[in-house]
Amino acid sequence: MNQTTWTISELADEFQLTARTLRFYEQHDILSPERDGQKRIYSQRDRTRLKLALRGKRLGFSLSEICSLINMYEGPGSTEPQLNTYITVLNKHKAQLLQQKADIEQVLAELTMQEEHCQALLEALPSKK
């Protein structure tokens, strides 16, 4: 089935989101459904923008970065500046994650050393029999 429009509940079900989450993305101009009375009608454009927003969220982008990147692809111009901007954002987040990974590895190593130290102290205690 090649669907071209979705209701709020259909889109929410497809992406396993709440209607409230979709309304949140509307408030931030990521989604702009048409209205039929109180009913929201989402287009293929909305669905694609939602998919990109969720991908950006998964990658750790801020809401303003997500909006900027999504809107960049709807503006005029070639894709070269768009791709360079995206690479810059990706590299920034990659660097942050690598730093967090190094920090976590350091803390884990310190925890292991403390655990080993405590085990050695326990083994050195006189036996209670």
Side-chain angles (χ1 to χ4, degrees):
M1 182 167 86
N2 194 2
Q3 195 166 344
T4 57
T5 62
W6 294 262
T7 65
I8 195 166
S9 59
E10 289 172 334
L11 211 54
D13 288 346
E14 179 180 349
F15 289 96
Q16 298 179 337
L17 301 169
T18 63
R20 184 177 184 185
T21 300
L22 293 177
R23 288 190 296 271
F24 171 82
Y25 284 124
E26 281 180 48
Q27 291 170 352
H28 293 283
D29 297 324
I30 292 172
L31 304 177
S32 53
E34 292 181 23
R35 299 290 182 127
D36 182 11
Q38 291 291 334
K39 188 176 177 183
R40 289 169 165 85
I41 312 259
Y42 293 92
S43 66
Q44 182 63 50
R45 174 187 178 270
D46 291 315
R47 186 180 176 280
T48 300
R49 289 171 65 90
L50 177 60
K51 205 171 181 180
L52 291 171
L54 295 173
R55 181 178 300 149
K57 182 180 173 192
R58 226 181 16 259
L59 292 172
F61 295 171
S62 70
L63 186 59
S64 63
E65 288 171 321
I66 290 169
C67 291
S68 175
L69 289 169
I70 289 174
N71 290 333
M72 179 175 55
Y73 283 96
E74 293 195 346
S78 72
T79 58
E80 185 177 343
Q82 296 161 338
L83 291 172
N84 284 328
T85 300
Y86 186 50
I87 288 169
T88 300
V89 171
L90 289 173
N91 285 331
K92 175 184 160 195
H93 283 281
K94 185 177 179 181
Q96 288 173 341
L97 289 171
L98 288 171
Q99 183 59 56
Q100 289 174 345
K101 180 181 175 186
D103 294 344
I104 289 169
E105 287 172 352
Q106 181 180 357
V107 170
L108 287 171
E110 291 171 9
L111 289 171
T112 300
M113 284 179 21
Q114 289 297 314
E115 182 182 22
E116 290 170 355
H117 178 69
C118 289
Q119 286 294 337
L121 289 173
L122 282 172
E123 291 170 9
L125 290 174
S127 176
K128 294 181 182 178
K129 291 187 179 181

